[in-house]
Amino acid sequence: MSTGRLAGKVVLVTGTGGGIGRATAQICAREGAHVIGCDLNPGPSQETVELVRATGGRMDAISPVDLATEDGARDWIDQAAGIGGGIDVLVNNASAIRFGAIDALSYQDWSFTIRNELDIVFLVTRAAWPHLVARGGGSIVNIGSISGSRGAWFMPQNAHGAAKGGVLALTRQLVIEGGPHGIRVNAVSPAMTETPHTSPMLADPDGPSEQILSRVPLRKWGQPQDVANAILFLASDEASHVTGANIPVDGGAAVVG
Ligand SMILES: NC(=O)c1ccc[n+]([C@@H]2O[C@H](COP(=O)([O-])OP(=O)(O)OC[C@H]3O[C@@H](n4cnc5c(N)ncnc54)[C@H](O)[C@@H]3O)[C@@H](O)[C@H]2O)c1
C-alpha cells in the first residue's frame, strides 16, 4: 500500500535490471516517485520498467549504459535529469564483482571490481552533484555491504571488500561536502540477499549456505525488498536529519563476532 512517501520526487536508481535495483524501483515508484533507472543489460532493465508501469508506477530507463566510464555516467545522469526535470534522489546500487584469493586474483580482475563497484559510485555521484546542488539539496543512498567492514569466511573477496570499504569511506566524506548544499548521503549495507543472481548458490546443498546462515542471528536470507525498504526511508523526507548513517540490512550478521 502506498502512503506517497516519495510523491513528486525524481529518483535515479542504477542497476535496475538486477535484484535489489528492481525492488528499489518498484518500491520507490509505489511511493509516488518518478523512477529513472538504467543498466548494462537492456532486457532485464526493460522488464523492470514494464513491471513498474503495470502497477501504475512511473518509470523510465536508459539501457544499455556502462556507468563505470566517465562518458557513460555523465550521459545517463544528464539524460535522466532532462527526463525528470531535475534530480531529488540518487541510489548508487549497480555493481559487478570478480572474486579471488590474494594469490589467485589477477590485477585485471581486481581492477574490474574496483572500477565496477567503487569508481562507478564516484563517477555517477560526481555527475549528479551539480544537479542536486541546483535543486537545493537531495538524498544519495550508496549500497555498501557487510563486506565493507569485515572479511568473509565463505568466499575470497579481496577486491569486493576493498571496493565496498571504499564506498563507505566515500559516503562519509560526501556527508561533509554535501552538508552545506542540503545533500544527505547515507549507506545501506546488506549481507547475503536472495536475488536471481545469488539464489542458485544459496540453494546448492554443497554450497556455503549453511555456513553463512549459521552467522545470521535471524536465520534467514535477506530479500531485495528488505534492502529497498531501508533505501526508501533514507530517500524520503522522514530521514531529513539523517546523513552519514550506514544501515545494516543483514539479519544481525554484522554484530556476530
Ligand atoms: N545480493 C547480495 O547478496 C548483496 C549483498 C551485499 C551487497 N549487495 C550490493 O547490492 C547491490 C545490488 O546487488 P544485486 O544483488 O541486486 O546485484 P545484481 O547483480 O542482481 O544487480 C546489479 C545490476 O547492476 C548492473 N551493472 C553492473 N555493472 C554496471 C555498469 N558498469 N553499468 C550499468 N549497470 C551495471 C548489472 O547489469 C545488474 O543488473 C550491489 O551494490 C551489491 O554489491 C548485494
Side-chain angles (χ1 to χ4, degrees), residues 10 12 34 36 58 60 78-88 135:
V10 176
L12 271 57
H34 179 185
I36 305 175
R58 190 160 178 217
D60 294 288
D78 289 347
Q79 283 185 64
I83 293 168
I87 303 173
D88 296 295
R135 197 74 145 184

Side-chain angles (χ1 to χ4, degrees), residues 209-222:
S209 335
E210 231 168 86
Q211 192 190 5
I212 304 172
L213 217 46
S214 70
R215 303 175 76 86
V216 179
L218 289 181
R219 294 286 190 274
K220 62 185 177 71
W221 303 122

Side-chain angles (χ1 to χ4, degrees), residues 18-20 39-40 65-67 93 95 116 143-144 164 190-191 193 197:
I20 293 171
D39 207 286
L40 207 50
V65 297
D66 184 354
L67 297 173
N93 164 77
S95 87
N116 283 283
I143 311 308
K164 289 298 188 179
T193 306
H197 220 123

Side-chain angles (χ1 to χ4, degrees), residues 4-27:
R5 292 163 72 187
L6 297 178
K9 291 199 190 293
V10 176
V11 175
L12 271 57
V13 184
T14 67
T16 43
I20 293 171
R22 174 169 293 174
T24 302
Q26 288 175 313
I27 285 178

Side-chain angles (χ1 to χ4, degrees), residues 187-208:
V188 171
S189 283
M192 188 58 77
T193 306
E194 204 170 20
T195 65
H197 220 123
T198 59
S199 300
M201 179 184 75
L202 302 183
D204 178 358
D206 300 322

